[in-house]
């Protein structure tokens, strides 16, 4: 499992770890039941504090992505892919609702909003 930490990102290190592990789970790179490195091993491999990795693992466990058992380690949870996608869809709906309100208030046509969304959706950056 390769985690890349960047100092050039406005995101705390624990969030970088959390989001990269979530991406690995969502993409299928990590499957349900797969073990993930111990907090100590991951901290050593990416040269960060064990406390930083602990915070990331706590967030992953809270969100249902991993399960941790004392003495056995941490493993990818079985149930969370659909939940995560549904949560992300809910967040997208909130943003789209806000965009629609701005569009109506500013007299921006639905076609123009749709065109902008398509542009952002296909933009790879």
């Amino acid at each position: 499992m390769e985690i890349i930490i960047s100092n050039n990102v406005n995101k705390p290190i624990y969030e970088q770890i959390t989001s990269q592990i979530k991406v690995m789970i969502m993409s299928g790179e990590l499957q349900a039941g797969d073990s993930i490195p111990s907090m100590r091993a991951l901290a050593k491999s990416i040269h960060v504090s064990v406390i930083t990795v602990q915070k990331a693992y706590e967030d992953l466990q809270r969100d249902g992505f991993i399960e941790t058992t004392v003495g056995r380690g941490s493993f990818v949870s079985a149930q969370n892919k659909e939940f995560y996608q549904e949560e992300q869809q809910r967040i997208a709906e909130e943003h789209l609702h806000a965009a629609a309100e701005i569009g109506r208030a500013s007299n921006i046509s639905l076609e123009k909003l749709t065109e902008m969304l398509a542009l952002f959706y296909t933009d790879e950056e």
Side-chain angles (χ1 to χ4, degrees):
M1 183 169 83
E2 185 178 359
I3 302 287
I4 298 168
I5 301 302
S6 172
N7 293 327
N8 299 331
V9 178
N10 279 343
K11 193 183 227 188
I13 292 172
Y14 77 91
E15 284 184 11
Q16 293 181 50
I17 296 167
T18 302
S19 63
Q20 288 181 52
I21 292 175
K22 284 181 179 180
V23 166
M24 288 180 215
I25 292 170
M26 295 302 295
S27 71
E29 183 179 337
L30 289 174
Q31 300 285 323
D34 286 352
S35 68
I36 59 174
S38 70
M39 289 181 230
R40 202 174 314 256
L42 182 58
K44 185 176 180 182
S45 73
I46 60 175
H47 309 289
V48 299
S49 162
V50 173
I51 294 169
T52 300
V53 176
Q54 180 181 9
K55 172 74 173 130
Y57 278 28
E58 286 171 355
D59 286 358
L60 288 165
Q61 188 164 346
R62 181 200 64 227
D63 294 344
F65 281 91
I66 65 171
E67 299 168 358
T68 302
T69 306
V70 176
R72 288 196 59 229
S74 297
F75 300 87
V76 176
S77 179
Q79 101 294 342
N80 206 42
K81 196 170 191 174
E82 294 80 18
F83 171 78
Y84 180 74
Q85 286 176 325
E86 194 164 308
E87 179 66 13
Q88 293 304 302
Q89 182 175 328
R90 184 190 62 74
I91 293 168
E93 286 171 358
E94 289 175 7
H95 290 287
L96 289 170
H97 181 75
E101 287 180 352
I102 292 168
R104 278 192 301 272
S106 304
N107 206 24
I108 300 170
S109 71
L110 176 59
E111 292 77 23
K112 184 64 177 174
L113 286 174
T114 304
E115 180 183 313
M116 288 188 291
L117 176 60
L119 182 68
F120 289 126
Y121 193 85
T122 57
D123 188 16
E124 294 191 24
E125 285 188 53

